[in-house]
Amino acid sequence: FADPPSRVARLSFIEGDVSFAPTRAPKDDNWATAKINWPITEGNRLYAGDNARAELHIGASALRLTENTALDVSRLDDERIETFLDRGSLSLTLRNWDRDDELIITTPNLSVTLNSNGRYRIDVDGDNVNVVVRQGEARVQNGGSRFNVIASQRAQIEGRDGDDVRITRDDDEDNFDRWAAERDSRQNVATSSRYVAPTTPGVRTAYTAALMPGSTAYPEKSVQLARSRMRPAMSAGRSGSARSLR
């Protein structure tokens, strides 16, 4: 049997038509309907269709897709996360991020590297790319040049080689930004943070159920559920037979 992946993301939110493919296929015919709480590992692909949205959690950090967005997870391990954003918009909130980790988002004409806590957004429309930093700092590499985008800045990059760059102050928000901020706020105030660390495996799943409209779950019961899910991982970690999510 193959070793289990050392790091796994989780599909924590789905709205609308979201598709999943385990790998790239020669005929691109291996897509299926994505399901909530599916694990996402290296090589997996996601596509959010018309009027759709999706959210991935990697530990306490979140990656969010809006409609007509195609994202490939190229690498996902303890040293680095690499994704390919072919088109659409990706919102990222990094929490408790280890500065030795790198999150790299590649587009058809450049790459963006993040390695600090913050809020970011990347839009891809053909050869036109926007890199927005709400909080934190992003490093952009296009061809042979590199530059940084800091908090409250937007970099507009155009051209096949990404050689037309304009950096301006950013203070615009749309519905996707407001939805991502609302998701962040709900998670920030979730009662789970008072009892169990947000990086604990299972705590996001428990509280997703507790916060769903019409749910009959209660925070206290969700905490108990999260702790019950945590115990096997802790026992396995002590025995050296398994590794928990970061």
Side-chain angles (χ1 to χ4, degrees), residues 148-162:
N148 290 348
V149 185
I150 61 174
S152 301
Q153 287 188 340
R154 173 191 297 266
Q156 298 173 277
I157 305 107
E158 300 178 357
R160 179 173 297 179
D161 297 324

Side-chain angles (χ1 to χ4, degrees), residues 40-231:
I40 303 297
T41 61
E42 188 171 296
N44 292 172
R45 310 174 67 196
L46 288 171
Y47 180 74
D50 291 343
N51 302 311
R53 286 171 176 166
E55 178 184 79
L56 289 173
H57 262 99
I58 305 173
S61 299
L63 284 67
R64 300 182 176 99
L65 293 69
T66 191
E67 61 178 343
N68 302 318
T69 297
L71 182 72
D72 293 7
V73 180
S74 310
R75 177 176 173 179
L76 181 57
D77 57 36
D78 285 338
E79 296 179 355
R80 181 178 294 180
I81 301 171
E82 296 180 7
T83 65
F84 176 66
L85 183 61
D86 183 60
R87 61 189 179 277
S89 297
L90 182 68
S91 174
L92 308 98
T93 299
L94 303 190
R95 296 188 184 90
N96 304 328
W97 197 260
D98 188 337
R99 293 192 65 88
D100 291 334
D101 275 351
E102 284 190 331
L103 172 54
I104 300 174
I105 305 96
T106 302
T107 76
N109 59 346
L110 55 83
S111 67
V112 181
T113 300
L114 310 174
N115 62 357
S116 63
N117 291 337
R119 296 172 53 232
Y120 310 89
R121 174 170 168 170
I122 302 171
D123 305 310
V124 177
D125 182 9
D127 292 332
N128 300 326
V129 179
N130 285 336
V131 178
V132 178
V133 178
R134 310 288 188 196
Q135 298 171 348
E137 185 172 6
R139 184 171 72 251
V140 180
Q141 180 168 347
N142 55 330
S145 64
R146 294 182 182 181
F147 59 91
N148 290 348
V149 185
I150 61 174
S152 301
Q153 287 188 340
R154 173 191 297 266
Q156 298 173 277
I157 305 107
E158 300 178 357
R160 179 173 297 179
D161 297 324
D163 50 5
D164 183 359
V165 179
R166 288 174 292 168
I167 297 180
T168 60
R169 180 174 178 80
D170 179 77
D171 51 12
D172 294 331
E173 289 190 348
D174 60 12
N175 287 336
F176 181 45
D177 295 315
R178 288 186 282 272
W179 173 77
E182 189 271 338
R183 291 290 298 174
D184 282 339
S185 295
R186 289 180 66 179
Q187 291 163 11
N188 288 340
V189 302
T191 313
S192 62
S193 62
R194 301 179 189 174
Y195 302 94
V196 184
T199 51
T200 300
V203 71
R204 291 292 178 195
T205 302
Y207 271 86
T208 297
L211 293 173
M212 287 293 287
S215 171
T216 57
Y218 294 91
E220 292 79 4
K221 293 182 179 180
S222 299
V223 170
Q224 294 170 5
L225 175 60
R227 284 173 173 163
S228 68
R229 291 179 176 176
M230 177 175 61
R231 289 188 191 107

